[in-house]
């Protein structure tokens, strides 16, 4: 199932996108936003899946051409995010740009940090910089969207909490 958020208000408007990325259909009558869908995932995901299948089977009439430029980030805001840094060479370059040395332990110990989100940009939105002379850094990542995961959840049960995967560009 492919979900997207059209630019609409602060948190977008949920749509479903065809497998071939050419058509879309409104899903806001099921869940207004992707966050709303995630909040009630067990109840709403079967309804979204059924509409997605109808879209791909050409059994739905209200479809429209899909244009990624009309979209927000799938989740324009998130309550929090945790970033596990897998590209240590990137971390080293960023630290060097700030004049900071990278601790030797970063090469062997996993690096993870937590943040809050006020705004993720859309897939075709410009990256706004105050001054390009400051240098810019952006990276593409894979976002793993989960439901509520209790602290100390065992590794073998953590996968049950994954609901969606999506590409993410963060600045």
């Amino acid at each position: 199932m492919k979900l997207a958020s059209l630019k609409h208000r602060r948190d977008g408007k949920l749509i479903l996108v065809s497998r071939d990325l050419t058509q879309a259909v409104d899903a806001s009558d099921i869940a207004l936003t992707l966050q709303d869908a995630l909040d009630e995932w067990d109840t709403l995901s079967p309804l979204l899946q059924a509409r997605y299948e109808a879209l791909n089977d050409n059994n739905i009439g209200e479809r429209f051409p899909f244009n990624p430029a009309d979209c927000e980030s799938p989740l324009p805001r998130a309550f929090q995010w945790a970033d596990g840094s897998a590209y240590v060479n990137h971390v080293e370059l960023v630290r060097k740009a700030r004049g900071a040395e990278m601790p030797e332990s970063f090469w062997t110990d996993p690096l993870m940090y937590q943040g809050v989100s006020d705004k993720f940009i859309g897939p075709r939105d410009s990256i706004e910089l105050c001054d390009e002379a400051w240098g810019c850094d952006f990276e593409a990542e894979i976002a793993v969207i989960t439901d509520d995961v209790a602290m100390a959840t065992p590794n073998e049960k953590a996968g049950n909490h994954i609901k969606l995967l999506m590409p993410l560009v963060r600045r």
Side-chain angles (χ1 to χ4, degrees):
M1 174 170 40
K2 294 183 187 292
L3 299 161
S5 296
L6 286 181
K7 292 178 181 179
H8 177 77
R9 295 181 152 175
R10 189 173 185 183
D11 292 318
K13 179 176 168 182
L14 188 62
I15 62 171
L16 290 153
V17 181
S18 64
R19 194 173 291 111
D20 65 2
L21 302 175
T22 62
Q23 300 288 307
V25 65
D26 190 345
S28 64
D29 61 314
I30 297 172
L32 183 59
T33 67
L34 181 53
Q35 185 62 58
D36 292 338
L38 289 167
D39 288 344
E40 301 294 331
W41 189 256
D42 291 341
T43 302
L44 300 180
S45 65
L47 301 172
L48 293 167
Q49 183 67 37
R51 187 164 299 171
Y52 176 72
E53 290 171 12
L55 172 64
N56 285 295
D57 292 341
N58 293 318
N59 289 334
I60 197 159
E62 312 90 46
R63 64 180 154 221
F64 54 90
F66 177 64
N67 181 356
D70 295 335
C71 292
E72 290 277 8
S73 170
L75 280 171
R77 293 183 298 150
F79 295 111
Q80 71 165 347
W81 48 264
D83 187 342
S85 190
Y87 301 104
V88 182
N89 58 333
H90 175 75
V91 174
E92 183 178 40
L93 291 172
V94 170
R95 291 182 69 91
K96 278 184 182 178
R98 293 190 341 237
E101 288 295 319
M102 190 168 84
E104 197 59 37
S105 65
F106 278 28
W107 291 101
T108 56
D109 298 340
L111 173 64
M112 178 166 272
Y113 61 95
Q114 179 179 11
V116 294
S117 162
D118 59 340
K119 177 88 172 125
F120 288 109
I121 62 173
R124 299 282 174 94
D125 290 348
S126 296
I127 297 172
E128 298 175 17
L129 300 171
C130 291
D131 185 343
E132 288 188 33
W134 296 349
C136 66
D137 177 55
F138 66 94
E139 54 190 317
E141 299 183 359
I142 301 296
V144 179
I145 310 301
T146 66
D147 60 10
D148 297 330
V149 183
M151 187 179 292
T153 296
N155 291 347
E156 60 273 5
K157 294 188 178 184
N160 296 333
H161 293 280
I162 296 172
K163 301 305 172 199
L164 299 169
L165 301 174
M166 67 183 190
L168 176 70
V169 175
R170 213 166 32 86
R171 58 183 165 139

Short mmCIF file of all heavy atoms in Angstrom, two decimals, residues 97-154:
data_model
loop_
_atom_site.label_atom_id
_atom_site.label_comp_id
_atom_site.label_asym_id
_atom_site.label_seq_id
_atom_site.Cartn_x
_atom_site.Cartn_y
_atom_site.Cartn_z
N ALA A 97 33.42 19.66 9.90
CA ALA A 97 32.93 20.97 9.45
C ALA A 97 32.67 21.90 10.64
O ALA A 97 32.78 23.12 10.51
CB ALA A 97 31.65 20.80 8.64
N ARG A 98 32.35 21.33 11.79
CA ARG A 98 32.14 22.13 13.00
C ARG A 98 33.42 22.32 13.79
O ARG A 98 33.40 22.92 14.86
CB ARG A 98 31.11 21.44 13.90
CG ARG A 98 29.72 21.39 13.35
CD ARG A 98 28.69 20.91 14.38
NE ARG A 98 29.22 20.22 15.52
CZ ARG A 98 28.87 18.99 15.90
NH1 ARG A 98 28.00 18.30 15.21
NH2 ARG A 98 29.41 18.45 16.97
N GLY A 99 34.53 21.73 13.32
CA GLY A 99 35.79 21.83 14.04
C GLY A 99 35.86 20.90 15.23
O GLY A 99 36.65 21.12 16.15
N ALA A 100 35.06 19.85 15.23
CA ALA A 100 35.05 18.90 16.35
C ALA A 100 35.66 17.57 15.91
O ALA A 100 35.43 17.11 14.80
CB ALA A 100 33.60 18.67 16.82
N GLU A 101 36.42 17.00 16.79
CA GLU A 101 36.99 15.68 16.53
C GLU A 101 35.93 14.62 16.81
O GLU A 101 35.09 14.77 17.68
CB GLU A 101 38.20 15.43 17.43
CG GLU A 101 39.42 16.23 17.05
CD GLU A 101 39.98 15.85 15.69
OE1 GLU A 101 40.03 14.65 15.37
OE2 GLU A 101 40.33 16.78 14.93
N MET A 102 36.01 13.54 16.06
CA MET A 102 35.08 12.44 16.28
C MET A 102 35.71 11.45 17.26
O MET A 102 36.83 10.99 17.02
CB MET A 102 34.73 11.74 14.97
CG MET A 102 33.59 10.76 15.16
SD MET A 102 32.93 10.16 13.61
CE MET A 102 34.06 8.84 13.26
N PRO A 103 35.00 11.11 18.32
CA PRO A 103 35.53 10.12 19.25
C PRO A 103 35.77 8.78 18.53
O PRO A 103 34.97 8.38 17.68
CB PRO A 103 34.43 9.98 20.31
CG PRO A 103 33.65 11.24 20.21
CD PRO A 103 33.73 11.66 18.77
N GLU A 104 36.83 8.11 18.87
CA GLU A 104 37.18 6.84 18.23
C GLU A 104 36.06 5.80 18.43
O GLU A 104 35.83 4.95 17.58
CB GLU A 104 38.50 6.32 18.81
CG GLU A 104 39.17 5.25 17.99
CD GLU A 104 39.51 5.69 16.56
OE1 GLU A 104 39.89 6.86 16.35
OE2 GLU A 104 39.36 4.85 15.65
N SER A 105 35.33 5.89 19.54
CA SER A 105 34.27 4.92 19.83
C SER A 105 33.12 4.97 18.82
O SER A 105 32.37 4.00 18.69
CB SER A 105 33.71 5.14 21.25
OG SER A 105 33.08 6.41 21.32
N PHE A 106 32.99 6.09 18.07
CA PHE A 106 31.91 6.18 17.08
C PHE A 106 32.08 5.15 15.98
O PHE A 106 31.12 4.81 15.30
CB PHE A 106 31.87 7.59 16.48
CG PHE A 106 31.15 8.61 17.32
CD1 PHE A 106 31.08 8.51 18.69
CD2 PHE A 106 30.53 9.69 16.71
CE1 PHE A 106 30.42 9.46 19.46
CE2 PHE A 106 29.86 10.65 17.47
CZ PHE A 106 29.81 10.53 18.84
N TRP A 107 33.30 4.67 15.76
CA TRP A 107 33.54 3.67 14.71
C TRP A 107 33.08 2.28 15.14
O TRP A 107 32.88 1.41 14.30
CB TRP A 107 35.02 3.64 14.31
CG TRP A 107 35.42 4.89 13.60
CD1 TRP A 107 36.09 5.95 14.11
CD2 TRP A 107 35.15 5.20 12.23
NE1 TRP A 107 36.25 6.93 13.16
CE2 TRP A 107 35.69 6.49 11.98
CE3 TRP A 107 34.51 4.54 11.18
CZ2 TRP A 107 35.61 7.13 10.75
CZ3 TRP A 107 34.45 5.17 9.95
CH2 TRP A 107 34.98 6.44 9.74
N THR A 108 32.89 2.06 16.44
CA THR A 108 32.54 0.71 16.93
C THR A 108 31.22 0.67 17.69
O THR A 108 30.54 -0.35 17.69
CB THR A 108 33.64 0.17 17.84
OG1 THR A 108 33.87 1.10 18.92
CG2 THR A 108 34.93 -0.06 17.06
N ASP A 109 30.84 1.76 18.34
CA ASP A 109 29.61 1.79 19.13
C ASP A 109 28.50 2.45 18.33
O ASP A 109 28.71 3.50 17.72
CB ASP A 109 29.81 2.57 20.44
CG ASP A 109 30.86 1.93 21.33
OD1 ASP A 109 31.16 0.74 21.15
OD2 ASP A 109 31.40 2.64 22.21
N PRO A 110 27.31 1.85 18.34
CA PRO A 110 26.20 2.45 17.57
C PRO A 110 25.89 3.86 18.07
O PRO A 110 25.96 4.14 19.26
CB PRO A 110 25.01 1.53 17.86
CG PRO A 110 25.59 0.30 18.45
CD PRO A 110 26.91 0.65 19.04
N LEU A 111 25.58 4.74 17.13
CA LEU A 111 25.23 6.11 17.46
C LEU A 111 23.74 6.29 17.20
O LEU A 111 23.25 6.00 16.11
CB LEU A 111 26.03 7.09 16.60
CG LEU A 111 25.65 8.56 16.70
CD1 LEU A 111 25.94 9.09 18.10
CD2 LEU A 111 26.40 9.38 15.67
N MET A 112 23.01 6.73 18.20
CA MET A 112 21.59 7.00 18.04
C MET A 112 21.26 8.26 18.82
O MET A 112 21.79 8.49 19.89
CB MET A 112 20.75 5.84 18.55
CG MET A 112 19.25 6.09 18.44
SD MET A 112 18.27 4.63 18.66
CE MET A 112 18.23 4.03 16.99
N TYR A 113 20.40 9.06 18.23
CA TYR A 113 19.93 10.24 18.94
C TYR A 113 18.45 10.42 18.66
O TYR A 113 17.92 9.88 17.70
CB TYR A 113 20.74 11.48 18.59
CG TYR A 113 20.70 11.88 17.13
CD1 TYR A 113 19.80 12.83 16.67
CD2 TYR A 113 21.57 11.30 16.21
CE1 TYR A 113 19.77 13.20 15.34
CE2 TYR A 113 21.55 11.68 14.87
CZ TYR A 113 20.64 12.62 14.45
OH TYR A 113 20.60 12.99 13.13
N GLN A 114 17.80 11.16 19.53
CA GLN A 114 16.36 11.37 19.46
C GLN A 114 16.09 12.85 19.23
O GLN A 114 16.80 13.70 19.75
CB GLN A 114 15.74 10.91 20.78
CG GLN A 114 14.25 11.07 20.88
CD GLN A 114 13.73 10.57 22.23
OE1 GLN A 114 14.50 10.30 23.14
NE2 GLN A 114 12.44 10.46 22.35
N GLY A 115 15.07 13.14 18.45
CA GLY A 115 14.71 14.52 18.20
C GLY A 115 13.21 14.69 18.09
O GLY A 115 12.46 13.72 18.11
N VAL A 116 12.78 15.92 18.00
CA VAL A 116 11.36 16.23 17.79
C VAL A 116 11.25 16.92 16.44
O VAL A 116 12.21 17.47 15.92
CB VAL A 116 10.79 17.12 18.90
CG1 VAL A 116 10.77 16.38 20.22
CG2 VAL A 116 11.57 18.41 19.04
N SER A 117 10.07 16.89 15.87
CA SER A 117 9.90 17.40 14.52
C SER A 117 8.88 18.52 14.52
O SER A 117 7.77 18.36 14.99
CB SER A 117 9.39 16.27 13.63
OG SER A 117 8.83 16.78 12.47
N ASP A 118 9.27 19.66 13.97
CA ASP A 118 8.28 20.70 13.75
C ASP A 118 7.85 20.73 12.30
O ASP A 118 6.76 21.16 11.99
CB ASP A 118 8.80 22.06 14.19
CG ASP A 118 10.06 22.47 13.44
OD1 ASP A 118 10.74 21.60 12.89
OD2 ASP A 118 10.35 23.67 13.42
N LYS A 119 8.68 20.22 11.38
CA LYS A 119 8.31 20.24 9.97
C LYS A 119 9.28 19.40 9.15
O LYS A 119 10.48 19.59 9.21
CB LYS A 119 8.32 21.68 9.46
CG LYS A 119 8.03 21.86 7.99
CD LYS A 119 6.56 21.98 7.76
CE LYS A 119 6.28 22.36 6.32
NZ LYS A 119 5.40 21.49 5.65
N PHE A 120 8.74 18.45 8.42
CA PHE A 120 9.50 17.75 7.38
C PHE A 120 9.02 18.32 6.06
O PHE A 120 7.84 18.65 5.90
CB PHE A 120 9.22 16.24 7.41
CG PHE A 120 9.83 15.53 8.59
CD1 PHE A 120 9.03 15.03 9.60
CD2 PHE A 120 11.20 15.34 8.67
CE1 PHE A 120 9.58 14.36 10.68
CE2 PHE A 120 11.76 14.68 9.75
CZ PHE A 120 10.95 14.19 10.75
N ILE A 121 9.91 18.44 5.09
CA ILE A 121 9.52 19.03 3.82
C ILE A 121 9.01 17.95 2.86
O ILE A 121 9.28 16.76 3.04
CB ILE A 121 10.68 19.82 3.18
CG1 ILE A 121 11.87 18.93 2.89
CG2 ILE A 121 11.07 20.98 4.08
CD1 ILE A 121 12.99 19.63 2.11
N GLY A 122 8.27 18.39 1.85
CA GLY A 122 7.72 17.48 0.86
C GLY A 122 8.76 16.98 -0.12
O GLY A 122 9.87 17.52 -0.20
N PRO A 123 8.41 15.96 -0.90
CA PRO A 123 9.38 15.32 -1.79
C PRO A 123 9.92 16.22 -2.89
O PRO A 123 11.01 15.98 -3.40
CB PRO A 123 8.60 14.14 -2.37
CG PRO A 123 7.17 14.51 -2.23
CD PRO A 123 7.09 15.35 -0.99
N ARG A 124 9.20 17.24 -3.27
CA ARG A 124 9.67 18.14 -4.33
C ARG A 124 9.83 19.58 -3.84
O ARG A 124 10.02 20.48 -4.63
CB ARG A 124 8.68 18.11 -5.51
CG ARG A 124 8.52 16.76 -6.15
CD ARG A 124 9.69 16.45 -7.07
NE ARG A 124 9.66 15.12 -7.60
CZ ARG A 124 9.15 14.77 -8.76
NH1 ARG A 124 8.59 15.67 -9.53
NH2 ARG A 124 9.19 13.52 -9.16
N ASP A 125 9.77 19.79 -2.53
CA ASP A 125 9.92 21.12 -1.97
C ASP A 125 11.39 21.55 -1.99
O ASP A 125 12.30 20.72 -1.85
CB ASP A 125 9.42 21.18 -0.53
CG ASP A 125 7.91 21.06 -0.43
OD1 ASP A 125 7.24 21.16 -1.48
OD2 ASP A 125 7.40 20.86 0.69
N SER A 126 11.61 22.84 -2.12
CA SER A 126 12.96 23.39 -2.05
C SER A 126 13.48 23.29 -0.63
O SER A 126 12.72 23.40 0.33
CB SER A 126 12.96 24.85 -2.48
OG SER A 126 12.58 24.97 -3.82
N ILE A 127 14.78 23.10 -0.52
CA ILE A 127 15.42 23.13 0.78
C ILE A 127 15.81 24.58 1.04
O ILE A 127 16.59 25.16 0.30
CB ILE A 127 16.65 22.21 0.81
CG1 ILE A 127 16.22 20.77 0.57
CG2 ILE A 127 17.40 22.35 2.13
CD1 ILE A 127 17.37 19.80 0.39
N GLU A 128 15.20 25.17 2.07
CA GLU A 128 15.43 26.58 2.36
C GLU A 128 16.66 26.73 3.26
O GLU A 128 16.77 26.05 4.28
CB GLU A 128 14.21 27.18 3.05
CG GLU A 128 12.98 27.14 2.17
CD GLU A 128 11.73 27.61 2.90
OE1 GLU A 128 11.85 28.27 3.95
OE2 GLU A 128 10.64 27.30 2.40
N LEU A 129 17.55 27.61 2.86
CA LEU A 129 18.74 27.91 3.64
C LEU A 129 18.78 29.40 3.92
O LEU A 129 18.45 30.21 3.05
CB LEU A 129 20.01 27.52 2.87
CG LEU A 129 20.15 26.04 2.49
CD1 LEU A 129 21.33 25.85 1.56
CD2 LEU A 129 20.31 25.21 3.75
N CYS A 130 19.19 29.78 5.12
CA CYS A 130 19.34 31.21 5.42
C CYS A 130 20.48 31.81 4.62
O CYS A 130 20.36 32.90 4.09
CB CYS A 130 19.59 31.40 6.92
SG CYS A 130 18.14 31.01 7.91
N ASP A 131 21.59 31.07 4.54
CA ASP A 131 22.75 31.57 3.84
C ASP A 131 23.57 30.37 3.36
O ASP A 131 24.08 29.61 4.18
CB ASP A 131 23.59 32.45 4.77
CG ASP A 131 24.78 33.11 4.07
OD1 ASP A 131 25.16 32.67 2.96
OD2 ASP A 131 25.31 34.07 4.64
N GLU A 132 23.68 30.20 2.06
CA GLU A 132 24.40 29.05 1.52
C GLU A 132 25.87 29.06 1.93
O GLU A 132 26.52 28.00 1.93
CB GLU A 132 24.26 29.00 0.00
CG GLU A 132 22.88 28.58 -0.44
CD GLU A 132 22.78 28.33 -1.94
OE1 GLU A 132 23.78 27.87 -2.53
OE2 GLU A 132 21.71 28.60 -2.50
N ALA A 133 26.41 30.21 2.29
CA ALA A 133 27.81 30.29 2.71
C ALA A 133 28.06 29.52 4.00
O ALA A 133 29.19 29.16 4.31
CB ALA A 133 28.23 31.76 2.87
N TRP A 134 26.98 29.27 4.78
CA TRP A 134 27.14 28.51 6.01
C TRP A 134 27.39 27.03 5.70
O TRP A 134 27.74 26.27 6.58
CB TRP A 134 25.89 28.62 6.87
CG TRP A 134 25.60 30.00 7.38
CD1 TRP A 134 26.42 31.09 7.33
CD2 TRP A 134 24.40 30.43 8.01
NE1 TRP A 134 25.81 32.18 7.89
CE2 TRP A 134 24.56 31.80 8.33
CE3 TRP A 134 23.22 29.81 8.35
CZ2 TRP A 134 23.58 32.53 8.96
CZ3 TRP A 134 22.24 30.55 8.99
CH2 TRP A 134 22.42 31.89 9.28
N GLY A 135 27.17 26.65 4.46
CA GLY A 135 27.26 25.24 4.10
C GLY A 135 25.92 24.57 4.35
O GLY A 135 25.11 25.06 5.14
N CYS A 136 25.67 23.54 3.65
CA CYS A 136 24.41 22.84 3.88
C CYS A 136 24.71 21.35 3.95
O CYS A 136 25.71 20.87 3.43
CB CYS A 136 23.38 23.15 2.79
SG CYS A 136 23.82 22.54 1.16
N ASP A 137 23.83 20.66 4.60
CA ASP A 137 23.98 19.22 4.74
C ASP A 137 22.57 18.63 4.70
O ASP A 137 21.66 19.12 5.36
CB ASP A 137 24.65 18.88 6.07
CG ASP A 137 24.74 17.37 6.28
OD1 ASP A 137 25.31 16.70 5.39
OD2 ASP A 137 24.24 16.89 7.29
N PHE A 138 22.40 17.65 3.87
CA PHE A 138 21.15 16.93 3.90
C PHE A 138 21.45 15.48 3.60
O PHE A 138 22.48 15.15 3.03
CB PHE A 138 20.10 17.51 2.93
CG PHE A 138 20.46 17.36 1.48
CD1 PHE A 138 20.00 16.28 0.74
CD2 PHE A 138 21.23 18.31 0.85
CE1 PHE A 138 20.32 16.15 -0.59
CE2 PHE A 138 21.56 18.19 -0.49
CZ PHE A 138 21.10 17.11 -1.21
N GLU A 139 20.56 14.62 4.03
CA GLU A 139 20.79 13.20 3.83
C GLU A 139 19.47 12.50 3.59
O GLU A 139 18.43 12.92 4.08
CB GLU A 139 21.50 12.61 5.05
CG GLU A 139 20.78 12.87 6.37
CD GLU A 139 21.60 12.49 7.58
OE1 GLU A 139 22.23 11.42 7.57
OE2 GLU A 139 21.62 13.27 8.53
N ALA A 140 19.53 11.47 2.79
CA ALA A 140 18.36 10.64 2.56
C ALA A 140 18.43 9.47 3.53
O ALA A 140 19.50 8.93 3.81
CB ALA A 140 18.35 10.13 1.12
N GLU A 141 17.30 9.11 4.06
CA GLU A 141 17.23 8.03 5.03
C GLU A 141 15.98 7.21 4.76
O GLU A 141 15.13 7.60 3.97
CB GLU A 141 17.19 8.58 6.45
CG GLU A 141 18.43 9.39 6.80
CD GLU A 141 18.44 9.89 8.23
OE1 GLU A 141 17.47 9.63 8.97
OE2 GLU A 141 19.42 10.53 8.61
N ILE A 142 15.88 6.11 5.44
CA ILE A 142 14.67 5.30 5.42
C ILE A 142 14.00 5.48 6.77
O ILE A 142 14.63 5.30 7.82
CB ILE A 142 14.99 3.80 5.21
CG1 ILE A 142 15.72 3.58 3.90
CG2 ILE A 142 13.73 2.95 5.31
CD1 ILE A 142 14.92 3.94 2.66
N ALA A 143 12.73 5.87 6.75
CA ALA A 143 11.97 6.03 7.98
C ALA A 143 11.20 4.74 8.24
O ALA A 143 10.58 4.18 7.34
CB ALA A 143 11.00 7.20 7.87
N VAL A 144 11.27 4.27 9.46
CA VAL A 144 10.52 3.10 9.90
C VAL A 144 9.47 3.62 10.86
O VAL A 144 9.79 4.12 11.94
CB VAL A 144 11.44 2.06 10.59
CG1 VAL A 144 10.63 0.87 11.08
CG2 VAL A 144 12.56 1.64 9.66
N ILE A 145 8.21 3.55 10.45
CA ILE A 145 7.10 4.09 11.24
C ILE A 145 6.52 2.96 12.08
O ILE A 145 6.12 1.92 11.54
CB ILE A 145 6.01 4.69 10.33
CG1 ILE A 145 6.60 5.66 9.30
CG2 ILE A 145 4.91 5.34 11.17
CD1 ILE A 145 7.34 6.83 9.88
N THR A 146 6.47 3.20 13.36
CA THR A 146 5.96 2.18 14.28
C THR A 146 4.72 2.68 15.02
O THR A 146 4.44 3.88 15.04
CB THR A 146 7.01 1.81 15.35
OG1 THR A 146 7.25 2.95 16.19
CG2 THR A 146 8.31 1.34 14.71
N ASP A 147 4.03 1.75 15.63
CA ASP A 147 3.00 2.15 16.58
C ASP A 147 3.71 2.35 17.92
O ASP A 147 4.94 2.46 17.97
CB ASP A 147 1.87 1.12 16.65
CG ASP A 147 2.32 -0.28 17.07
OD1 ASP A 147 3.48 -0.46 17.51
OD2 ASP A 147 1.49 -1.21 16.98
N ASP A 148 2.98 2.40 19.02
CA ASP A 148 3.60 2.61 20.32
C ASP A 148 4.41 1.37 20.70
O ASP A 148 3.87 0.25 20.73
CB ASP A 148 2.54 2.88 21.39
CG ASP A 148 1.77 4.15 21.11
OD1 ASP A 148 2.35 5.08 20.50
OD2 ASP A 148 0.58 4.23 21.49
N VAL A 149 5.67 1.56 20.98
CA VAL A 149 6.57 0.47 21.36
C VAL A 149 6.96 0.67 22.82
O VAL A 149 7.53 1.71 23.17
CB VAL A 149 7.84 0.44 20.47
CG1 VAL A 149 8.72 -0.75 20.85
CG2 VAL A 149 7.46 0.40 19.00
N ALA A 150 6.64 -0.31 23.64
CA ALA A 150 6.95 -0.20 25.07
C ALA A 150 8.46 -0.29 25.30
O ALA A 150 9.17 -0.99 24.57
CB ALA A 150 6.25 -1.32 25.84
N MET A 151 8.93 0.43 26.30
CA MET A 151 10.33 0.36 26.66
C MET A 151 10.69 -1.09 26.98
O MET A 151 9.88 -1.83 27.55
CB MET A 151 10.61 1.25 27.88
CG MET A 151 12.09 1.36 28.20
SD MET A 151 12.43 2.43 29.61
CE MET A 151 11.99 4.01 28.95
N ALA A 152 11.86 -1.50 26.59
CA ALA A 152 12.39 -2.85 26.85
C ALA A 152 11.68 -3.93 26.04
O ALA A 152 11.71 -5.10 26.41
CB ALA A 152 12.38 -3.17 28.34
N THR A 153 11.03 -3.55 24.93
CA THR A 153 10.44 -4.56 24.05
C THR A 153 11.56 -5.45 23.51
O THR A 153 12.55 -4.94 22.99
CB THR A 153 9.68 -3.89 22.89
OG1 THR A 153 8.59 -3.14 23.43
CG2 THR A 153 9.16 -4.91 21.89
N PRO A 154 11.42 -6.77 23.62
CA PRO A 154 12.48 -7.66 23.12
C PRO A 154 12.64 -7.53 21.60
O PRO A 154 11.67 -7.27 20.88
CB PRO A 154 11.98 -9.06 23.48
CG PRO A 154 10.87 -8.87 24.45
CD PRO A 154 10.33 -7.48 24.25
#
